[in-house]
Amino acid sequence: KMLFEKNLEEHKFLYEDMFEYESIHESGLKKFLKVFKEVVEDDPERDVSCEDYFSDIVENAGEKYKPENWKTVSLEGKYLGIILPQIFPGHDNLGSIFFIGLIPEERNKGYGKITFSKSLEILKDLGAKKYLGSTNMQNKPMRRVFESGGCKEMFKRFFYEAI
């Protein structure tokens, strides 16, 4: 895993935002989970059902889970992906994006850097002063998104599986 950080007090949303965003409250949980499933269907780190995966993410958010901040992303009525900006439980000034992703056919179009920057803007509006995020070392597209968003690599952490 690679860990990245950014001072959100310096964050500025610099893109023309052509997307529409709907919270879970606005789209409804059923629609949100349909989009979530399309996004995570090919995630190599997922080893449980999409519903259990989502439940695990909600559980990790703890008392700070606010469904109004977790959003679907669409363009001209077509759903493209999801963003889950989240303040860390017990840390009002520290935020992360618990999950961000696009459905496979919408990747590699530059949308990731826009939705990432929008997620950082939401975190900043929620009062976060610092962003922490991580990704697999093999996830080069996400690493590029972190870099385009002005994040700095903090360190790499290696995990080994006992056989």
Side-chain angles (χ1 to χ4, degrees):
K1 284 272 200 192
M2 298 178 75
L3 188 67
F4 293 84
E5 70 177 349
K6 180 174 181 171
N7 177 350
L8 290 178
E9 294 172 312
E10 299 170 357
H11 179 70
K12 291 182 178 33
F13 186 78
L14 301 174
Y15 301 99
E16 181 180 332
D17 195 0
M18 66 274 218
F19 301 125
E20 297 94 40
Y21 302 91
E22 284 182 308
S23 71
I24 291 174
H25 283 310
E26 295 165 323
S27 66
L29 185 58
K30 186 175 180 179
K31 175 54 100 175
F32 183 88
L33 287 174
K34 182 178 186 285
V35 179
F36 181 77
K37 185 175 183 175
E38 287 183 63
V39 170
V40 302
E41 198 61 45
D42 65 345
D43 184 346
E45 293 187 37
R46 182 177 63 86
D47 58 358
V48 296
S49 72
C50 293
E51 292 79 8
D52 288 344
Y53 194 21
F54 181 75
S55 292
D56 288 345
I57 296 170
V58 170
E59 186 177 319
N60 287 330
E63 79 278 354
K64 293 286 188 173
Y65 170 62
K66 301 274 190 265
E68 61 270 19
N69 298 328
W70 291 12
K71 303 178 184 292
T72 57
V73 179
S74 60
L75 180 62
E76 299 172 355
K78 181 180 183 223
Y79 288 100
L80 307 177
I82 57 161
I83 57 174
L84 308 181
Q86 182 64 47
I87 300 295
F88 277 114
H91 301 280
D92 291 340
N93 295 326
L94 185 60
S96 190
I97 302 168
F98 275 24
F99 197 92
I100 183 170
L102 298 165
I103 60 176
E105 60 267 19
E106 300 301 335
R107 296 175 187 160
N108 300 311
K109 296 180 179 180
Y111 296 164
K113 64 184 177 186
I114 299 169
T115 56
F116 180 73
S117 187
K118 179 67 170 186
S119 298
L120 296 180
E121 181 180 88
I122 292 169
L123 287 171
K124 185 177 178 179
D125 290 346
L126 293 172
K129 306 279 187 239
K130 185 176 181 180
Y131 167 77
L132 289 178
S134 67
T135 192
N136 249 326
M137 281 189 258
Q138 293 80 21
N139 190 344
K140 290 180 183 173
M142 192 65 216
R143 288 170 43 196
R144 285 192 301 271
V145 166
F146 282 132
E147 291 164 9
S148 73
C151 296
K152 293 181 175 63
E153 182 184 327
M154 291 175 58
F155 60 85
K156 295 176 179 137
R157 177 170 286 162
F158 296 90
F159 296 91
Y160 299 94
E161 187 174 330
I163 297 177

